[in-house]
Amino acid sequence: MKLCLILVCAALLPAEAKVLHRGIGLVMCSKTDQELFYGIDGEQVYHIDFTAHKGVKTLPDFGDDYIFPKDYELSLARMEVCKVNLEYWTKNDNDSIDSLDAPQSSIYSKDDVELGSKNSLVCYITGFYPPQLRVTWTKNNINVTAEAKFTVYYPNPIDGTFDQISILSFTPEEGDIYSCRVEHAALDRPLTRIFDVQVALDPVSFHSDAVFCGVGLVGGLLGVSAGIYFFIKGNKFN
C-alpha cells in the first residue's frame, strides 16, 4: 500500500501566555483513504469528515474555541495535491517498500462495571504503520461493529507510528463477553482482546493479567489517558 503524508508542525505562543504549545497538521491520502486533521499539544482539535463534507471540532466542551473558516473547501485542494504527489512517488519509486509496525491493543471499561448500568468499552490501538487497519467488535460472538465509534488515525511524534481509539457503548449483563479484534498488514494473525463482564465484576480478577491481556501496555496508557478523556468528553468521532 502506498501512502502520502504531508505533515506540518508549528510552535504556538498565545498572546499574554508564557507556555509554548505545539501544533500539528496532517494531510494523508492513499488510493482508498484520505484524512486531514489538526492537533495541539498531542490532542486532536479538528478534523475533516469527507463523508459528511464538513469539518468537525473534537475539543471538549470546556476547551478554547478554534475557528477554521471554509476549511472543508481548502481541504479538497490539499487532497488533490496529496494525490498528485502520491501518483508521482508511486511511478518513480516502485522499488521502495513501506516499513510495517504491528499494532498493540488493550480493552477496558470507561467506568467501573455495574450490571444494568450504561457504560463504554474502550479499545485502544497503538504503534502501527501504515495507518490502515480493520477493527471488529463482537458481543457473545455476534458482530456489533456497526454500533462502535472510531477516532481518526493520530500520529505518534516519537516514532512516526499511529494510534486509534474505538468506543462501544454497552450495558453490562452477567455472562456477556465482548471482544475487540484488530487486523493489520504487519500482523500474521488478528489481534484480539477480550472483556468478560463476569470477570470485571470481581475486584480481584479485574486487575489480573487475564482481564487486560495486554497488561504490559498499562504504563503507556497512562501517558495517553488525557487524550482518551478529551476524546470521550468531546464526543466527536470520524
Side-chain angles (χ1 to χ4, degrees):
M1 184 197 75
K2 294 295 183 180
L3 177 75
C4 175
L5 294 173
I6 301 175
L7 183 65
V8 179
C9 296
L12 308 175
L13 185 60
E16 301 181 2
K18 297 181 180 180
V19 179
L20 187 66
H21 298 278
R22 177 175 294 176
I24 182 175
L26 180 68
V27 180
M28 180 172 65
C29 65
S30 68
K31 289 185 177 180
T32 57
D33 298 299
Q34 54 187 4
E35 190 169 299
L36 186 151
F37 67 84
Y38 303 100
I40 294 179
D41 295 337
E43 306 293 348
Q44 182 188 126
V45 298
Y46 187 86
H47 75 272
I48 298 296
D49 186 333
F50 287 98
T51 301
H53 311 292
K54 65 179 183 179
V56 179
K57 294 181 181 180
T58 51
L59 280 172
D61 296 337
F62 54 80
D64 295 333
D65 196 18
Y66 288 86
I67 300 175
F68 300 88
K70 298 182 179 179
D71 204 74
Y72 176 71
E73 289 77 8
L74 293 175
S75 70
L76 297 179
R78 294 187 180 102
M79 281 301 159
E80 288 303 316
V81 172
C82 187
K83 291 177 181 179
V84 169
N85 289 336
L86 176 63
E87 183 178 1
Y88 174 82
W89 289 334
T90 300
K91 290 180 179 179
N92 294 278
D93 196 22
N94 292 326
D95 294 332
S96 66
I97 300 177
D98 288 336
S99 62
L100 298 176
D101 289 297
Q104 294 179 303
S105 67
S106 59
I107 185 173
Y108 52 91
S109 62
K110 175 179 176 287
D111 301 312
D112 292 339
V113 176
E114 296 181 10
L115 294 180
S117 296
K118 291 184 178 180
N119 206 329
S120 296
L121 284 177
V122 179
C123 186
Y124 176 64
I125 310 158
T126 183
F128 58 91
Y129 188 90
Q132 187 176 44
L133 49 73
R134 179 181 180 185
V135 179
T136 305
W137 284 93
T138 65
K139 173 186 177 182
N140 301 328
N141 294 321
I142 298 175
N143 192 318
V144 292
T145 308
E147 302 173 19
K149 298 178 180 179
F150 300 83
T151 64
V152 297
Y153 302 125
Y154 198 90
N156 185 332
I158 297 177
D159 58 12
T161 60
F162 287 79
D163 301 339
Q164 186 178 48
I165 300 169
S166 179
I167 291 183
L168 178 71
S169 297
F170 79 119
T171 301
E173 298 295 342
E174 191 168 2
D176 284 347
I177 297 177
Y178 293 83
S179 75
C180 175
R181 168 177 165 146
V182 177
E183 297 175 74
H184 186 267
L187 293 171
D188 294 330
R189 64 189 68 181
L191 179 63
T192 303
R193 300 304 185 198
I194 303 296
F195 187 91
D196 189 326
V197 171
Q198 186 63 39
V199 174
L201 290 171
D202 185 339
V204 176
S205 298
F206 181 70
H207 295 289
S208 70
D209 292 353
V211 177
F212 283 102
C213 300
V215 69
L217 292 174
V218 173
L221 290 173
L222 292 176
V224 297
S225 60
I228 295 174
Y229 173 76
F230 269 34
F231 167 70
I232 298 173
K233 182 69 176 177
N235 197 27
K236 301 291 185 180
F237 303 87
N238 186 26

